[in-house]
Amino acid sequence: MHHRTVPHSSVFRREPDPSDSFIDLNRLLTILLRRARLIALAIAVTVALGVVYLVFATPIYTSMTQILLDEDLSRYAEENEPSPQSSQQVDMRIASAVEILKSGRLALRVVDDLKLADNETVLNPPQSPVAIAKGWAKSLASFGSSEPAVSEEALARGRREKAAAMLQQSLAVERVARSAVLAVSFRSTDPQLAAQIARRYAEAFFEDQLSANYTATEQASTWLQERLTDLQARAQEAALEVERYRSENGLTSARGELMSEQQLADLNSQLILAQADAASASARYAQFRAIVEQGPDKAIDNASVPTQQAGGSVLQELRERYNSVVKRAQDIAQNFGADHPQAAALRAEKDDLAGQIYRELQQLTASYKNEYEVARSREVSLRESIDKVAGSNAEANRSSVQLRELEQKATALKALSESYLSRYEQASQKQSFPIAKARVISDAGVPVLPSAPSKTMVLGLCVMLGLMAGGALTFIQEMRERAFRLENDIRTILGLKPLGYLPLINGGKRPKPAMIGAKALKAEPGASDGEDVIPLERMTRVVLDAPRSVFAETLRNAKLASDVMLQGRKTRVIAVTSALPGEGKSTVATNFAALLAVSGKRTLLIDADVRKPGLSIMMKPAPQAGLIEALTGQTAWNQLVRTDRQSQLSILPIGIRPGDNRARHASDLVSSPAMHRLIEEARQAFDYVVVDLAPLGPVIDAKAFEPLADGFLFIVEWGKTPANLVRDLLAAENGIAAKTLGVVLNKTDMDALPSYSDAGAAEKYRDLYDQYYIDRCERVAT
């Protein structure tokens, strides 16, 4: 037995590229191109639905008017200059105007003015199919239930309220950018009605403003008048109370002050002057008294001081005469002696003058004493008057506190009355103010074209919905994509060598000549003109009929792989298997064996799929004996071999017998000693032994045969066989995985293959490869 000890490759998934965590734009573009038809179909369906909607939808017309909220319109009629408003206040004013326009009260006014309560266009506008269906459902739900009778007045009120509600639904009020302009638009199926209602809304808004101003000023005037009458009466009563209190308490005032306060102030001023006079008189009296008390002798020496202070002319004159006599006496005594008679006369005159001076000082002292006593008496009198007046003033002050409270109350009531009078006059003037603080800057015209449904918007939305639906379907399809599509999938998921693509040759459409060859497409005798199915017997001979096709090239690549990987072996036993039934392994095994045979190699093809011998069934005539008879010893295996005359391929089939139950022990037969001997004898007689085994998934025949095989060709159906299934099967069967020469993607849709590959991949250039195969096929056909 020949066993492989070194695995050709690993069956485990390779480590993912770090870049896989990011969006692969090439792969995304490939998916979009591959699913372009699906996306286009989704777009076409949604656009068709949009066109149907546009055809049956009722056109809606929109008429719009623009209103400017202008505070400057009334500034010339107002007395005070309006204070500037902040941006928040402006926004609040505009938002309030928007809500007023949307209010139900304004809608009711428009309904009443235009008599819309009986307008069927407003009350019962055309409905969408969905709304009609909802109405039917409600009517069916309420069928059979009796409704109470409704009066005509209630019906009229209900129609009026419904018309107002319909107006509110069809009205749109928006602020134009950051300006003070409001765009008021109304939608209706009647363009004339839409323009009429839009214009009436603007007029109703102005009327509502004027009415609100008039009502507010009227209410304010009435209230102010009532308050003003009350305040005037209270102010008059407070003024009379002040005068009455002043009269009762003797609080007579002049120049804003009480008489007692003025009298006390005057007495204080007089007292200050009297105190000053008394002090001055006291000082003079004390000085002269001190001089007089020193006696006549010393009075002469000090007579000059009081004389200067008193300013008396008599005392000054006596003092001058005294000084003159003293000087003359000194001169005579010095010239004629002290005993001279004239000196004696001068001394007598001196003594006389000294006496006169002393007497004059006594008189001045007495005079100053009298002045002091008078000033002192006046001071005392003033103090007594002040004490008397101060006592009466304290009582007046206590009464003045209550008087000031009464005066403050009267003053406050008078000021409040004057304020209310001014406000009343302003309110009376504003009551007849005819200017609203808004104006129309764009009149509502009759619309010519409908505003809804917008064809551009509807079709654009349909296209977007189609793209979204197509994207969702594409996502679902891609999420369901779990099969092998590219050779790179084989390398990435299984870690095995991909051997190539085998085109689909038994599908619903005729493949290209380059795929399976021109001869293979020639119809069988008796086939109808529209029949595209190739007979199964001929599917096993594709490599013979089209040796220069893609089909044949892929099998040549498989042969090359076996020659390289099984190099040095005289005879090579190659088993062909798959994961699931129906993947075309028998067709591939037959064509592969035929390719080896026509290359001059002695080749034996063994049909070892005992349970479902697809290869033997395709043989005509069907064999009656084969592998099972050889393994059970009934017939020698070399006597059961059939040889194809064209390729010289030797085939050991399985006998086809109706109701045969020998397949129950297929795994035992495949792994039996007889099978071992048969393979050993075949190695002696052939260069290649190709064994068509049962699928690996449902049965264990391939696993049982694994020790006898040198290599395995694993067949995977393109776009159908789940990748995870193949990976798990090979991961569980390490022996088979280690001997796998490569994986062949069978039944490949060569037209769709490029759409699954990225830009620059080999699959994108299949059309260029076909030039070689087309030339070859034409020569074969010739």
Side-chain angles (χ1 to χ4, degrees):
M1 300 297 173
H2 298 277
H3 301 278
R4 298 192 59 85
T5 58
V6 180
H8 299 303
S9 55
S10 174
V11 296
F12 299 103
R13 184 189 294 270
R14 298 181 181 178
E15 292 295 327
D17 195 324
S19 62
D20 292 344
S21 58
F22 298 91
I23 297 177
D24 190 345
L25 296 180
N26 289 333
R27 183 172 177 81
L28 182 60
L29 179 61
T30 301
I31 292 174
L32 293 178
L33 293 176
R34 182 168 65 249
R35 304 295 181 180
R37 292 183 179 179
L38 179 61
I39 297 174
L41 178 61
I43 294 175
V45 171
T46 54
V47 169
L49 294 176
V51 171
V52 173
Y53 169 75
L54 292 174
V55 170
F56 292 99
T58 302
I60 303 297
Y61 296 88
T62 301
S63 181
M64 183 179 68
T65 182
Q66 289 185 330
I67 301 174
L68 173 63
L69 304 180
D70 192 356
E71 293 287 336
D72 295 336
L73 292 177
S74 60
R75 63 178 178 177
Y76 298 108
E78 293 180 353
E79 296 180 1
N80 300 326
E81 186 72 19
S83 59
Q85 295 181 336
S86 64
S87 59
Q88 184 178 4
Q89 291 175 328
V90 173
D91 291 341
M92 290 177 61
R93 178 169 58 86
I94 296 175
S96 299
V98 171
E99 294 304 320
I100 291 173
L101 285 165
K102 292 180 178 180
S103 65
R105 183 175 182 180
L106 202 64
L108 289 173
R109 173 177 292 186
V110 174
V111 169
D112 296 337
D113 293 342
L114 298 179
K115 296 180 176 55
L116 300 177
D118 298 325
N119 193 312
E120 290 298 322
T121 304
V122 174
L123 293 175
N124 298 305
Q127 296 180 341
S128 63
V130 177
I132 294 174
K134 288 183 178 179
W136 288 350
K138 290 182 180 179
S139 62
L140 291 176
S142 61
F143 179 75
S145 60
S146 60
E147 297 182 356
V150 182
S151 63
E152 289 295 330
E153 182 181 356
L155 288 175
R157 185 170 59 253
R159 286 194 298 269
R160 179 172 176 265
E161 293 177 354
K162 180 180 179 182
M166 297 301 293
L167 258 61
Q168 287 181 283
Q169 291 179 4
S170 301
L171 180 71
V173 183
E174 295 179 353
R175 182 181 181 182
V176 180
R178 296 292 299 171
S179 66
V181 177
L182 298 180
V184 182
S185 58
F186 187 82
R187 303 181 303 277
S188 175
T189 56
D190 186 354
Q192 297 288 344
L193 183 61
Q196 187 179 8
I197 293 177
R199 286 193 294 266
R200 187 55 199 153
Y201 252 104
E203 296 170 358
F205 177 69
F206 299 149
E207 294 173 0
D208 182 76
Q209 275 199 328
L210 294 175
S211 176
N213 291 336
Y214 178 81
T215 303
T217 53
E218 183 180 16
Q219 293 176 353
S221 298
T222 303
W223 181 81
L224 286 172
Q225 187 175 13
E226 295 176 356
R227 294 293 300 158
L228 182 60
T229 302
D230 179 64
L231 287 174
Q232 288 177 344
R234 292 173 60 189
Q236 185 178 5
E237 180 67 24
L240 293 174
E241 181 70 19
V242 170
E243 295 301 327
R244 185 167 50 252
Y245 185 83
R246 182 182 286 118
S247 176
E248 292 175 355
N249 292 275
L251 300 176
T252 306
S253 62
R255 298 189 302 274
E257 295 181 356
L258 295 174
M259 295 296 294
S260 59
E261 291 180 352
Q262 294 181 6
Q263 186 179 4
L264 184 61
D266 293 340
L267 290 175
N268 283 329
S269 300
Q270 293 177 16
L271 178 61
I272 292 171
L273 294 176
Q275 288 176 345
D277 293 342
S280 177
S282 176
R284 286 194 300 270
Y285 169 67
Q287 186 179 14
F288 277 89
R289 187 180 61 182
I291 294 173
V292 171
E293 289 177 352
Q294 290 178 1
D297 296 333
K298 294 185 179 180
I300 301 300
D301 297 334
N302 298 325
S304 59
V305 174
T307 299
Q308 294 175 355
Q309 292 178 353
S313 59
V314 176
L315 187 60
Q316 182 68 25
E317 183 180 357
L318 291 175
R319 177 67 181 171
E320 290 177 356
R321 288 174 59 188
Y322 180 82
N323 289 335
S324 176
V325 171
V326 170
K327 184 177 180 181
R328 286 170 57 194
Q330 289 177 353
D331 290 342
I332 292 175
Q334 186 176 2
N335 292 326
F336 299 106
D339 296 332
H340 189 276
Q342 189 174 2
L346 290 171
R347 281 194 297 271
E349 185 178 4
K350 172 184 174 184
D351 293 336
D352 182 57
L353 289 172
Q356 293 180 10
I357 291 172
Y358 183 74
R359 288 190 294 272
E360 185 66 26
L361 289 172
Q362 288 179 336
Q363 291 179 358
L364 290 174
T365 302
S367 176
Y368 285 140
K369 180 180 179 181
N370 292 332
E371 290 180 3
Y372 169 70
E373 290 177 352
V374 170
R376 181 64 181 169
S377 297
R378 185 169 178 267
E379 180 182 356
V380 171
S381 176
L382 288 173
R383 287 186 181 277
E384 293 176 354
S385 299
I386 288 174
D387 292 339
K388 182 178 180 181
V389 173
S392 62
N393 190 53
E395 183 66 25
N397 287 335
R398 286 192 292 271
S399 300
S400 297
V401 174
Q402 182 66 23
L403 178 63
R404 281 193 294 271
E405 292 180 359
L406 295 175
E407 288 178 341
Q408 290 175 357
K409 179 180 179 181
T411 303
L413 288 173
K414 182 179 180 180
L416 188 60
S417 175
E418 292 176 352
S419 174
Y420 271 75
L421 178 60
S422 176
R423 292 170 60 185
Y424 173 73
E425 294 296 335
Q426 292 179 0
S428 298
Q429 294 297 324
K430 289 182 178 180
Q431 191 171 357
S432 59
F433 190 58
I435 302 175
K437 296 182 180 181
R439 59 189 176 94
V440 175
I441 61 175
S442 177
D443 292 326
V446 179
V448 179
L449 298 176
S451 60
S454 174
K455 296 180 181 179
T456 303
M457 182 179 296
V458 170
L459 294 179
L461 180 62
C462 289
V463 171
M464 293 301 298
L465 291 176
L467 287 174
M468 294 173 61
L473 293 175
T474 298
F475 177 77
I476 294 173
Q477 291 292 335
E478 290 299 320
M479 290 301 295
R480 295 178 58 189
E481 188 66 47
R482 294 293 184 266
F484 293 98
R485 295 287 185 179
L486 301 172
E487 292 181 344
N488 188 54
D489 297 340
I490 302 297
R491 286 188 290 265
T492 303
I493 299 174
L494 302 180
L496 297 175
K497 179 180 180 180
L499 298 178
Y501 304 96
L502 292 178
L504 178 64
I505 59 176
N506 190 26
K509 61 181 181 179
R510 186 182 297 275
K512 295 181 180 179
M515 300 304 171
I516 62 172
K519 287 185 177 181
L521 291 178
K522 292 181 179 180
E524 287 292 317
S528 62
D529 293 339
E531 186 176 358
D532 293 331
V533 179
I534 302 174
L536 294 178
E537 295 81 355
R538 301 197 60 213
M539 289 171 56
T540 61
R541 308 173 64 85
V542 175
V543 293
L544 302 178
D545 296 334
R548 294 296 182 265
S549 63
V550 175
F551 195 97
E553 283 299 318
T554 300
L555 294 181
R556 288 191 185 93
N557 188 32
K559 176 182 180 298
L560 179 62
S562 64
D563 291 342
V564 172
M565 299 179 70
L566 300 178
Q567 187 176 5
R569 296 179 180 273
K570 179 179 179 181
T571 301
R572 296 158 186 171
V573 178
I574 300 174
V576 180
T577 187
S578 63
L580 298 173
E583 295 190 75
K585 62 175 181 57
S586 298
T587 302
V588 175
T590 305
N591 281 277
F592 180 64
L595 178 68
L596 296 174
V598 297
S599 65
K601 302 296 183 179
R602 295 174 301 166
T603 305
L604 173 63
L605 174 61
I606 301 176
D607 187 359
D609 190 353
V610 180
R611 293 178 174 84
K612 191 178 178 181
L615 173 60
S616 302
I617 293 174
M618 289 188 291
M619 298 179 66
K620 300 297 180 182
Q624 297 299 315
L627 178 63
I628 297 178
E629 285 73 13
L631 295 178
T632 55
Q634 299 178 20
T635 308
W637 68 271
N638 50 10
Q639 296 179 4
L640 300 173
V641 171
R642 293 189 179 187
T643 303
D644 180 57
R645 289 175 296 179
Q646 181 179 358
S647 62
Q648 298 302 313
L649 173 63
S650 299
I651 303 174
L652 178 57
I654 294 177
I656 304 302
R657 297 179 182 179
D660 193 357
N661 295 324
R662 294 176 296 173
R664 290 180 299 177
H665 306 287
S667 58
D668 295 336
L669 292 175
V670 171
S671 61
S672 63
M675 189 65 176
H676 283 242
R677 290 192 298 271
L678 189 152
I679 295 299
E680 287 298 329
E681 292 175 3
R683 287 180 183 275
Q684 302 299 324
F686 296 93
D687 298 322
Y688 286 91
V689 177
V690 179
V691 182
D692 180 16
L693 292 174
L696 185 59
V699 294
I700 64 171
D701 294 10
K703 181 179 180 181
F705 187 79
E706 179 266 325
L708 303 179
D710 297 326
F712 281 84
L713 285 181
F714 206 93
I715 310 302
V716 173
E717 184 172 353
W718 182 87
K720 183 177 180 181
T721 306
N724 292 338
L725 173 63
V726 177
R727 182 189 59 189
D728 295 341
L729 289 175
L730 291 178
E733 304 298 337
N734 293 327
I736 296 177
K739 293 182 178 182
T740 300
L741 304 175
V743 179
V744 177
L745 291 173
N746 193 26
K747 299 183 182 180
T748 304
D749 186 348
M750 303 304 287
D751 292 332
L753 178 62
S755 64
Y756 287 91
S757 62
D758 297 337
E763 289 79 6
K764 291 289 186 182
Y765 302 97
R766 283 289 173 179
D767 291 340
L768 298 178
Y769 299 170
D770 291 348
Q771 297 177 6
Y772 286 89
Y773 307 137
I774 291 174
D775 293 340
R776 291 296 183 182
C777 290
E778 288 177 351
R779 294 173 187 171
V780 171
T782 302

